Amino acid sequence: MTFQQFLLILRARYKVVVFTLLIIVIATLVISLLLPKQYTASTAVVVDVKSPDPLAGMVLPGLAAPGYMATQIDIINSDRVAQRVVKLLRMDESPVIREQWMAATNGEGELIVWLAALLKQKLDVKPSRESNVINIDFSGSEPGFAAAVANAFAQAYIDINLDLKVEPARQYATWFEDQIKILRDKLEKAQQALSAYQQKTGIVATDERLDYEVAKLNELSTQLTIVQGQTSDSSSKRKSTGNPETLAEVIQSPLINTIKSDIARLEAKLQEGSVNLGRNHPQTKRAQSELASLRSKLASETRHIHDSIGTSFQVGKHKEKELLEAMEVQKKRVLELNRQRDQVSVLQRDVEAAQRNFEGVSLRSAQTRLESHSVQTNISTLNPASIPTEHSRPRILLNVLISIFLGTLLGVGLALILELGNRRVRSVEDLAEIIDLPVLAMVPSAVSPSTLRRFPKKLSRQKVSRQVLGIKAS
């Protein structure tokens, strides 16, 4: 079918198209006027995903996730939010609504659930493109009720979002309280163990006492070294020679040197007296007697010094033994203090670890407790819904325009269907298509109208072609 044939068909059956169009448009207009008017109230909420949390002081990574806005829309469309709207508007307390529920469900189920399902049917939630604003639309037959429900959905969404944020914080706060009690008991036990051990050992400041004992041990070690040196020196002097007069103490002794001087003086006097007076002279005898006395005294003093060296050796050995014993005792005391200090250090570390754990959990518990009492969310109402002054449905002009389009399509389709059921010759192309022969001539209707009048109006295309061309159908 060519476009010209299509136009000829529409020209011939325009009444069908126009009649169908008028019926569709009039029916649409009547139905649109008879339908109850619906009013749509819109409110907008904004979700802040960039500002940090006022308690945690940081931006939660979940807020920037791509699915965060989709999650918020699902929350608004949830049964929990719709049931919260029913409670906010006290719809479940209305006797009229209760009667309607009884008539619709015969009392089966719950009224709040039934009302929430009805409200969700007229709810439309749409996010704004490339922004954090969510539009909440609600349609109803009463403008005031539609605006109240839209605002109630926004408030219920904020309340439920706050509950979803606060409920885990409350659970964590309770758990942290139990943990604080456990950690406090551990801290008290660790402190009691440290205090009991300090009282048992008498340790208050382990480092000071240990330093004192170590210094005392070092002092004993120094004394032992000195005594061992003196004893070694005495032993060497005892074993070095058999002549005591060669000892340094003997040589350096002032008394012995005085005696030696006196001996030398008497020897010189005795020699002089022996020459001058003779050996038997009384003065010579007295000088010999004094010289013998001095030599005896020199020998006695020499022996005394020699014996004192041996005594010093014995005393040094005895003192060395005492110092060794004292050092052993002091070493044990220092080792015991080291062991006690290590034990005290372990107990102190236990106390410090328990203190850190207790302080960390206490800080987290305080923060969680603040979060559990939070009354602010990252959601706020941007534009509250106002009472609509014009109805949103039915849209008469839009419905009429759609009915014109659909009526035209339906009329054209009906005309084509009628044409296919009863084909007519409306052009030369139709005739050539039917007889499958070339058309030799065409008589215009203005030249021989009588010829055209001889054909019945409802003759088929095959009969018309036979009378015009005078040929028989093969």
Side-chain angles (χ1 to χ4, degrees):
M1 180 184 297
T2 63
F3 182 70
Q4 182 180 3
Q5 291 174 335
F6 176 72
L7 293 179
L8 291 175
I9 293 173
L10 293 182
R11 180 181 178 184
R13 300 185 180 274
Y14 73 93
K15 294 182 179 180
V16 176
V17 177
V18 173
F19 183 72
T20 303
L21 175 62
L22 290 177
I23 290 176
I24 296 297
V25 172
I26 293 173
T28 302
L29 181 62
V30 171
I31 293 174
S32 299
L33 293 175
L34 293 178
L35 286 176
K37 295 181 179 180
Q38 296 288 324
Y39 296 87
T40 300
S42 299
T43 182
V45 294
V46 59
V47 182
D48 186 9
V49 297
K50 295 182 179 180
S51 299
D53 188 87
L55 297 178
M58 59 182 295
V59 179
L60 299 179
L63 298 180
Y68 181 75
M69 295 300 294
T71 303
Q72 302 306 307
I73 295 174
D74 292 339
I75 292 175
I76 299 175
N77 289 317
S78 64
D79 294 335
R80 186 173 178 179
V81 173
Q83 293 174 9
R84 185 62 174 266
V85 172
V86 173
K87 294 180 179 179
L88 288 176
L89 298 178
R90 297 183 178 180
M91 297 175 63
D92 55 333
E93 300 177 4
S94 175
V96 178
I97 295 178
R98 185 170 292 275
E99 291 178 0
Q100 294 176 356
W101 169 64
M102 292 294 294
T105 62
N106 295 324
E108 297 179 357
E110 296 182 8
L111 175 59
I112 296 179
V113 177
W114 181 72
L115 289 174
L118 292 180
L119 293 177
K120 289 173 58 179
Q121 292 177 0
K122 299 181 179 181
L123 179 67
D124 185 19
V125 182
K126 296 178 295 183
S128 298
R129 295 184 60 184
E130 299 181 359
S131 71
N132 299 325
V133 177
I134 300 177
N135 298 311
I136 303 175
D137 299 337
F138 184 81
S139 301
S141 57
E142 297 181 4
F145 178 74
V149 173
N151 289 326
F153 263 102
Q155 185 61 43
Y157 165 56
I158 295 175
D159 295 342
I160 295 301
N161 189 277
L162 179 61
D163 291 342
L164 293 176
K165 176 183 177 182
V166 170
E167 284 179 1
R170 289 175 180 171
Q171 296 176 0
Y172 281 123
T174 303
W175 183 80
F176 277 123
E177 289 294 335
D178 297 336
Q179 294 301 312
I180 286 177
K181 293 179 181 178
I182 296 173
L183 292 176
R184 185 185 292 112
D185 294 338
K186 290 184 177 180
L187 177 59
E188 291 177 355
K189 291 179 180 179
Q191 291 175 340
Q192 290 174 0
L194 176 60
S195 177
Y197 188 79
Q198 287 179 336
Q199 292 177 359
K200 178 182 177 181
T201 57
I203 296 176
V204 178
T206 56
D207 293 337
E208 294 180 1
R209 184 174 177 183
L210 182 60
D211 293 340
Y212 170 75
E213 297 295 339
V214 171
K216 190 175 179 180
L217 179 62
N218 293 333
E219 183 180 357
L220 290 174
S221 178
T222 303
Q223 293 178 3
L224 178 62
T225 302
I226 294 173
V227 170
Q228 286 178 343
Q230 293 174 352
T231 305
S232 178
D233 184 61
S234 299
S235 177
S236 299
K237 289 178 179 178
R238 289 178 62 192
K239 298 177 180 180
S240 61
T241 178
N243 188 8
E245 294 180 357
T246 60
L247 293 175
E249 287 79 1
V250 174
I251 296 173
Q252 295 174 0
S253 176
L255 179 60
I256 291 177
N257 290 329
T258 301
I259 294 173
K260 285 183 177 181
S261 297
D262 292 341
I263 291 173
R265 182 176 54 80
L266 286 175
E267 285 180 349
K269 185 178 179 182
L270 179 61
Q271 185 177 4
E272 183 181 356
S274 297
V275 173
N276 295 327
L277 299 176
R279 294 182 178 273
N280 296 319
H281 194 274
Q283 291 183 357
T284 304
K285 294 291 185 179
R286 185 172 59 250
Q288 290 177 352
S289 175
E290 290 179 358
L291 181 60
S293 176
L294 288 175
R295 287 178 177 174
S296 175
K297 188 177 180 179
L298 177 61
S300 175
E301 290 296 329
T302 303
R303 246 186 346 266
H304 178 71
I305 292 175
H306 184 267
D307 292 340
S308 67
I309 292 175
T311 303
S312 298
F313 175 75
Q314 297 297 328
V315 171
K317 280 293 185 179
H318 182 70
K319 192 173 182 180
E320 181 181 349
K321 181 179 180 182
E322 291 179 350
L323 288 174
L324 288 173
E325 293 177 354
M327 284 188 62
E328 290 296 327
V329 174
Q330 189 64 23
K331 285 181 180 179
K332 293 180 180 179
R333 185 176 300 173
V334 171
L335 292 175
E336 180 65 19
L337 281 177
N338 282 329
R339 187 188 66 80
Q340 293 176 356
R341 186 186 64 173
D342 294 340
Q343 184 65 27
V344 170
S345 299
V346 171
L347 295 175
Q348 287 178 344
R349 285 195 294 270
D350 292 341
V351 172
E352 292 173 357
Q355 183 71 29
R356 287 195 300 270
N357 293 335
F358 176 75
E359 291 175 354
V361 174
S362 298
L363 180 62
R364 189 68 182 94
S365 176
Q367 183 178 356
T368 307
R369 194 180 304 110
L370 287 176
E371 293 178 359
S372 65
H373 293 87
S374 176
V375 294
Q376 297 293 332
T377 65
N378 61 327
I379 301 169
S380 58
T381 303
L382 182 62
N383 297 319
S386 58
I387 299 176
T389 57
E390 296 181 358
H391 61 84
S392 59
R393 286 191 300 269
R395 301 178 182 178
I396 297 177
L397 179 59
L398 179 61
N399 292 343
V400 170
L401 294 177
I402 294 175
S403 66
I404 292 174
F405 177 73
L406 295 178
T408 303
L409 291 180
L410 185 59
V412 172
L414 185 59
L416 293 177
I417 291 173
L418 293 176
E419 184 67 22
L420 291 176
N422 186 11
R423 297 293 302 273
R424 303 261 181 115
V425 177
R426 303 190 185 280
S427 63
V428 177
E429 288 81 2
D430 294 342
L431 183 61
E433 182 181 353
I434 293 174
I435 64 177
D436 196 18
L437 291 174
V439 178
L440 301 178
M442 181 178 65
V443 180
S445 57
V447 177
S448 56
S450 59
T451 304
L452 296 177
R453 285 195 297 268
R454 290 203 305 267
F455 296 106
K457 189 175 182 180
K458 295 184 179 181
L459 288 177
S460 64
R461 292 189 296 174
Q462 187 176 2
K463 294 181 180 179
V464 173
S465 62
R466 288 175 182 175
Q467 293 180 5
V468 173
L469 300 177
I471 61 175
K472 293 183 179 179
S474 58

